[in-house]
Amino acid sequence: MLQEFITSSLVIDDDFEEVKDLISYLEDQKDIWVKYYSPSEVEKKTIPFNNRKIIFLDLYLDDSRSSTDNIALIRKYFKSIIGENFGTYGIVLWTKHINHFEDFCSKIFLKKQPIYTSAICHSFG
């Protein structure tokens, strides 16, 4: 059922080993095209991504930064690589720091940014 709605995805994580099973599952079992980027690769990207239906994202892209700094980094990525013509997408966010999940939800979707107009934030755990 997942592949009926999602044909392509983007995975951003600082540790490929943490996401390789997810990538394999999506590609091999669900026939969903996946592109993986590390945060440093995202930093170097100059052309915005085309439509991706779902983005898998680690809240702690840089373990040496605070959650607030990582959220600011994620906002920067979204502004530079997604832009306004990206299309409809979902975000799957994971973190070992559940208490920082609400910070992400409250700070990532600012009303003055037209590309982040709505969000459904729910934590499992």
Side-chain angles (χ1 to χ4, degrees), residues 15-102:
D15 185 356
F16 179 77
E17 291 300 311
E18 288 183 355
V19 296
K20 69 179 182 179
D21 290 340
L22 169 65
I23 292 169
S24 177
Y25 172 78
L26 292 171
E27 289 179 338
D28 299 339
Q29 295 185 30
K30 296 298 178 185
D31 197 27
I32 296 172
W33 187 86
V34 179
K35 184 67 178 174
Y36 166 81
Y37 277 85
S38 70
S40 62
E41 291 170 324
V42 172
E43 284 284 338
K44 295 174 188 170
K45 188 153 176 59
T46 57
I47 300 170
F49 288 103
N50 291 324
N51 191 17
R52 297 286 182 271
K53 297 298 183 188
I54 193 162
I55 299 170
F56 296 90
L57 179 65
D58 184 359
L59 176 60
Y60 275 82
L61 294 176
D62 183 343
D63 285 331
S64 67
R65 296 175 180 238
S66 70
S67 66
T68 302
D69 289 344
N70 273 299
I71 291 167
L73 185 63
I74 292 167
R75 283 187 57 75
K76 175 184 164 193
Y77 291 166
F78 280 14
K79 187 175 181 181
S80 67
I81 64 171
I82 292 177
E84 295 182 21
N85 299 317
F86 186 77
T88 303
Y89 62 95
I91 299 171
V92 176
L93 175 77
W94 63 84
T95 180
K96 296 176 237 175
H97 310 280
I98 300 297
N99 53 325
H100 297 177
F101 180 78
E102 290 302 321

